Short mmCIF file of all heavy atoms in Angstrom, two decimals:
data_model
loop_
_atom_site.label_atom_id
_atom_site.label_comp_id
_atom_site.label_asym_id
_atom_site.label_seq_id
_atom_site.Cartn_x
_atom_site.Cartn_y
_atom_site.Cartn_z
N ALA A 200 39.62 -25.74 -16.80
CA ALA A 200 39.06 -25.11 -18.00
C ALA A 200 39.22 -26.07 -19.18
O ALA A 200 40.16 -26.84 -19.26
CB ALA A 200 39.69 -23.79 -18.27
N PRO A 201 38.29 -25.99 -20.15
CA PRO A 201 38.47 -26.76 -21.37
C PRO A 201 39.83 -26.54 -21.98
O PRO A 201 40.23 -25.37 -22.03
CB PRO A 201 37.35 -26.32 -22.26
CG PRO A 201 36.27 -25.91 -21.31
CD PRO A 201 37.03 -25.19 -20.16
N LEU A 202 40.44 -27.54 -22.47
CA LEU A 202 41.82 -27.38 -23.04
C LEU A 202 41.81 -26.41 -24.21
O LEU A 202 42.77 -25.63 -24.37
CB LEU A 202 42.39 -28.76 -23.43
CG LEU A 202 42.80 -29.67 -22.34
CD1 LEU A 202 43.26 -30.98 -22.90
CD2 LEU A 202 43.90 -29.02 -21.44
N ALA A 203 40.75 -26.40 -24.97
CA ALA A 203 40.69 -25.48 -26.09
C ALA A 203 40.73 -24.05 -25.63
O ALA A 203 41.34 -23.19 -26.27
CB ALA A 203 39.43 -25.71 -26.93
N ASP A 204 40.07 -23.72 -24.49
CA ASP A 204 40.07 -22.40 -23.93
C ASP A 204 41.45 -22.09 -23.36
O ASP A 204 41.99 -20.99 -23.53
CB ASP A 204 39.04 -22.25 -22.81
CG ASP A 204 37.57 -22.35 -23.38
OD1 ASP A 204 37.44 -22.24 -24.59
OD2 ASP A 204 36.65 -22.55 -22.60
N ALA A 205 42.05 -23.05 -22.63
CA ALA A 205 43.35 -22.84 -22.03
C ALA A 205 44.44 -22.56 -23.05
O ALA A 205 45.34 -21.79 -22.83
CB ALA A 205 43.72 -24.03 -21.19
N LEU A 206 44.28 -23.15 -24.21
CA LEU A 206 45.29 -23.04 -25.29
C LEU A 206 44.93 -21.99 -26.33
O LEU A 206 45.55 -21.89 -27.37
CB LEU A 206 45.46 -24.40 -25.99
CG LEU A 206 46.03 -25.52 -25.07
CD1 LEU A 206 45.92 -26.89 -25.81
CD2 LEU A 206 47.44 -25.21 -24.68
N SER A 207 43.91 -21.18 -25.99
CA SER A 207 43.46 -20.20 -26.98
C SER A 207 44.52 -19.09 -27.23
O SER A 207 44.46 -18.37 -28.19
CB SER A 207 42.17 -19.53 -26.47
OG SER A 207 42.40 -18.90 -25.25
N ARG A 208 45.51 -18.97 -26.31
CA ARG A 208 46.58 -18.03 -26.51
C ARG A 208 47.70 -18.52 -27.37
O ARG A 208 48.65 -17.84 -27.69
CB ARG A 208 47.19 -17.60 -25.18
CG ARG A 208 46.23 -16.94 -24.21
CD ARG A 208 46.93 -16.35 -23.02
NE ARG A 208 46.08 -15.80 -22.06
CZ ARG A 208 46.46 -14.97 -21.08
NH1 ARG A 208 47.74 -14.70 -20.91
NH2 ARG A 208 45.62 -14.47 -20.23
N SER A 209 47.53 -19.77 -27.84
CA SER A 209 48.62 -20.31 -28.68
C SER A 209 48.65 -19.62 -30.06
O SER A 209 47.64 -19.08 -30.50
CB SER A 209 48.43 -21.81 -28.89
OG SER A 209 47.24 -22.11 -29.64
N GLY A 210 49.80 -19.63 -30.59
CA GLY A 210 50.00 -18.98 -31.90
C GLY A 210 51.08 -17.86 -31.77
O GLY A 210 51.35 -17.36 -30.71
N THR A 211 51.63 -17.54 -32.87
CA THR A 211 52.73 -16.55 -32.86
C THR A 211 52.90 -16.02 -34.31
O THR A 211 52.60 -16.66 -35.28
CB THR A 211 54.05 -17.19 -32.40
OG1 THR A 211 55.07 -16.20 -32.46
CG2 THR A 211 54.41 -18.39 -33.22
N GLU A 212 53.51 -14.84 -34.34
CA GLU A 212 53.83 -14.26 -35.64
C GLU A 212 55.20 -14.73 -36.13
O GLU A 212 55.56 -14.52 -37.25
CB GLU A 212 53.81 -12.75 -35.56
CG GLU A 212 52.44 -12.13 -35.27
CD GLU A 212 52.45 -10.65 -35.20
OE1 GLU A 212 53.54 -10.04 -35.43
OE2 GLU A 212 51.40 -10.03 -35.01
N GLU A 213 55.92 -15.48 -35.22
CA GLU A 213 57.17 -16.00 -35.61
C GLU A 213 57.00 -17.11 -36.68
O GLU A 213 56.00 -17.78 -36.75
CB GLU A 213 57.88 -16.65 -34.41
CG GLU A 213 58.43 -15.70 -33.38
CD GLU A 213 59.25 -16.43 -32.34
OE1 GLU A 213 60.15 -17.12 -32.73
OE2 GLU A 213 58.99 -16.22 -31.16
N THR A 214 57.99 -17.26 -37.51
CA THR A 214 57.98 -18.30 -38.51
C THR A 214 59.24 -19.18 -38.37
O THR A 214 60.29 -18.70 -37.92
CB THR A 214 57.90 -17.74 -39.95
OG1 THR A 214 59.03 -16.85 -40.13
CG2 THR A 214 56.58 -16.98 -40.12
N SER A 215 59.07 -20.42 -38.70
CA SER A 215 60.22 -21.35 -38.59
C SER A 215 61.22 -21.08 -39.71
O SER A 215 60.82 -20.76 -40.82
CB SER A 215 59.68 -22.77 -38.68
OG SER A 215 60.75 -23.68 -38.83
N ASP A 216 62.49 -21.22 -39.35
CA ASP A 216 63.54 -21.07 -40.39
C ASP A 216 64.22 -22.41 -40.69
O ASP A 216 65.32 -22.45 -41.26
CB ASP A 216 64.57 -20.02 -40.02
CG ASP A 216 65.29 -20.35 -38.72
OD1 ASP A 216 65.04 -21.43 -38.13
OD2 ASP A 216 66.05 -19.53 -38.25
N VAL A 217 63.54 -23.50 -40.29
CA VAL A 217 64.09 -24.84 -40.63
C VAL A 217 64.11 -25.00 -42.13
O VAL A 217 63.04 -24.83 -42.81
CB VAL A 217 63.24 -25.99 -40.02
CG1 VAL A 217 63.73 -27.32 -40.51
CG2 VAL A 217 63.36 -25.91 -38.49
N PRO A 218 65.26 -25.27 -42.80
CA PRO A 218 65.32 -25.37 -44.23
C PRO A 218 64.81 -26.69 -44.78
O PRO A 218 65.57 -27.60 -45.09
CB PRO A 218 66.84 -25.19 -44.51
CG PRO A 218 67.48 -25.79 -43.26
CD PRO A 218 66.56 -25.43 -42.13
N LEU A 219 63.50 -26.87 -44.77
CA LEU A 219 62.92 -28.15 -45.12
C LEU A 219 63.36 -28.64 -46.47
O LEU A 219 63.56 -29.88 -46.69
CB LEU A 219 61.41 -28.07 -45.04
CG LEU A 219 60.83 -27.84 -43.62
CD1 LEU A 219 59.29 -27.67 -43.71
CD2 LEU A 219 61.13 -29.03 -42.76
N ARG A 220 63.48 -27.76 -47.46
CA ARG A 220 63.87 -28.16 -48.77
C ARG A 220 65.22 -28.81 -48.83
O ARG A 220 65.50 -29.84 -49.34
CB ARG A 220 63.80 -26.95 -49.77
CG ARG A 220 64.13 -27.41 -51.23
CD ARG A 220 64.28 -26.19 -52.10
NE ARG A 220 65.36 -25.30 -51.69
CZ ARG A 220 66.65 -25.52 -51.92
NH1 ARG A 220 67.03 -26.60 -52.55
NH2 ARG A 220 67.55 -24.67 -51.53
N LYS A 221 66.19 -28.12 -48.15
CA LYS A 221 67.55 -28.64 -48.04
C LYS A 221 67.60 -29.98 -47.27
O LYS A 221 68.29 -30.89 -47.70
CB LYS A 221 68.50 -27.61 -47.33
CG LYS A 221 68.83 -26.41 -48.14
CD LYS A 221 69.88 -25.56 -47.33
CE LYS A 221 70.25 -24.34 -48.13
NZ LYS A 221 71.26 -23.50 -47.37
N ILE A 222 66.88 -30.02 -46.18
CA ILE A 222 66.84 -31.24 -45.40
C ILE A 222 66.33 -32.37 -46.21
O ILE A 222 66.89 -33.51 -46.22
CB ILE A 222 66.00 -31.04 -44.13
CG1 ILE A 222 66.67 -30.05 -43.18
CG2 ILE A 222 65.76 -32.36 -43.45
CD1 ILE A 222 65.82 -29.57 -42.05
N GLY A 223 65.27 -32.15 -46.97
CA GLY A 223 64.74 -33.21 -47.85
C GLY A 223 65.68 -33.66 -48.89
O GLY A 223 65.73 -34.81 -49.32
N GLU A 224 66.45 -32.72 -49.36
CA GLU A 224 67.42 -32.97 -50.43
C GLU A 224 68.62 -33.78 -49.93
O GLU A 224 69.04 -34.76 -50.51
CB GLU A 224 67.92 -31.65 -51.04
CG GLU A 224 69.00 -31.85 -52.11
CD GLU A 224 69.53 -30.50 -52.66
OE1 GLU A 224 68.95 -29.46 -52.28
OE2 GLU A 224 70.50 -30.52 -53.41
N TYR A 225 69.16 -33.35 -48.77
CA TYR A 225 70.38 -34.00 -48.24
C TYR A 225 70.14 -35.21 -47.36
O TYR A 225 71.07 -36.09 -47.21
CB TYR A 225 71.24 -32.99 -47.52
CG TYR A 225 71.77 -31.85 -48.42
CD1 TYR A 225 71.40 -30.54 -48.17
CD2 TYR A 225 72.64 -32.14 -49.45
CE1 TYR A 225 71.89 -29.53 -48.98
CE2 TYR A 225 73.11 -31.15 -50.24
CZ TYR A 225 72.75 -29.84 -50.03
OH TYR A 225 73.26 -28.84 -50.84
N PHE A 226 69.01 -35.31 -46.68
CA PHE A 226 68.86 -36.33 -45.67
C PHE A 226 67.76 -37.34 -45.95
O PHE A 226 67.22 -37.99 -45.08
CB PHE A 226 68.57 -35.64 -44.31
CG PHE A 226 69.79 -34.99 -43.68
CD1 PHE A 226 70.04 -33.66 -43.96
CD2 PHE A 226 70.69 -35.69 -42.84
CE1 PHE A 226 71.15 -33.00 -43.47
CE2 PHE A 226 71.79 -35.05 -42.35
CZ PHE A 226 72.04 -33.74 -42.64
N SER A 227 67.41 -37.47 -47.24
CA SER A 227 66.40 -38.43 -47.58
C SER A 227 66.97 -39.81 -47.77
O SER A 227 66.26 -40.82 -47.92
CB SER A 227 65.71 -37.98 -48.90
OG SER A 227 66.67 -37.93 -49.98
N ASP A 228 68.26 -39.99 -47.67
CA ASP A 228 68.98 -41.26 -47.81
C ASP A 228 69.34 -41.78 -46.45
O ASP A 228 69.28 -41.02 -45.46
CB ASP A 228 70.29 -40.98 -48.64
CG ASP A 228 70.82 -42.26 -49.25
OD1 ASP A 228 70.44 -43.38 -48.75
OD2 ASP A 228 71.61 -42.20 -50.17
N ASP A 229 69.66 -43.05 -46.32
CA ASP A 229 70.16 -43.59 -45.06
C ASP A 229 71.62 -44.08 -45.17
O ASP A 229 72.15 -44.77 -44.33
CB ASP A 229 69.28 -44.72 -44.53
CG ASP A 229 69.21 -45.93 -45.44
OD1 ASP A 229 69.85 -45.91 -46.59
OD2 ASP A 229 68.52 -46.88 -45.09
N ASN A 230 72.22 -43.65 -46.31
CA ASN A 230 73.68 -43.96 -46.48
C ASN A 230 74.49 -42.77 -45.98
O ASN A 230 74.48 -41.73 -46.57
CB ASN A 230 73.90 -44.22 -47.99
CG ASN A 230 75.31 -44.62 -48.28
OD1 ASN A 230 76.28 -43.97 -47.82
ND2 ASN A 230 75.50 -45.71 -48.98
N ILE A 231 75.20 -42.99 -44.86
CA ILE A 231 75.92 -41.88 -44.22
C ILE A 231 76.91 -41.28 -45.18
O ILE A 231 77.09 -40.02 -45.25
CB ILE A 231 76.60 -42.38 -42.94
CG1 ILE A 231 75.57 -43.03 -42.04
CG2 ILE A 231 77.24 -41.17 -42.23
CD1 ILE A 231 74.37 -42.17 -41.63
N ALA A 232 77.66 -42.14 -45.87
CA ALA A 232 78.67 -41.65 -46.82
C ALA A 232 78.05 -40.72 -47.87
O ALA A 232 78.61 -39.68 -48.25
CB ALA A 232 79.46 -42.77 -47.43
N ALA A 233 76.89 -41.14 -48.42
CA ALA A 233 76.23 -40.35 -49.47
C ALA A 233 75.71 -39.05 -48.89
O ALA A 233 75.81 -37.98 -49.52
CB ALA A 233 75.06 -41.13 -50.02
N ILE A 234 75.22 -39.04 -47.63
CA ILE A 234 74.72 -37.83 -47.01
C ILE A 234 75.82 -36.83 -46.83
O ILE A 234 75.75 -35.63 -47.23
CB ILE A 234 74.07 -38.13 -45.67
CG1 ILE A 234 72.72 -38.89 -45.86
CG2 ILE A 234 73.80 -36.89 -44.89
CD1 ILE A 234 72.13 -39.37 -44.58
N VAL A 235 76.96 -37.30 -46.30
CA VAL A 235 78.12 -36.45 -46.06
C VAL A 235 78.65 -35.92 -47.38
O VAL A 235 79.03 -34.77 -47.49
CB VAL A 235 79.23 -37.16 -45.24
CG1 VAL A 235 80.48 -36.34 -45.15
CG2 VAL A 235 78.66 -37.47 -43.84
#
Side-chain angles (χ1 to χ4, degrees):
L202 288 176
D204 293 344
L206 295 170
S207 61
R208 297 191 183 193
S209 66
T211 176
E212 295 181 359
E213 288 188 51
T214 57
S215 170
D216 59 4
V217 172
L219 293 175
R220 183 188 61 78
K221 287 185 180 182
I222 291 168
E224 177 182 353
Y225 294 119
F226 289 90
S227 59
D228 201 340
D229 62 358
N230 184 309
I231 307 301
I234 290 172
V235 173

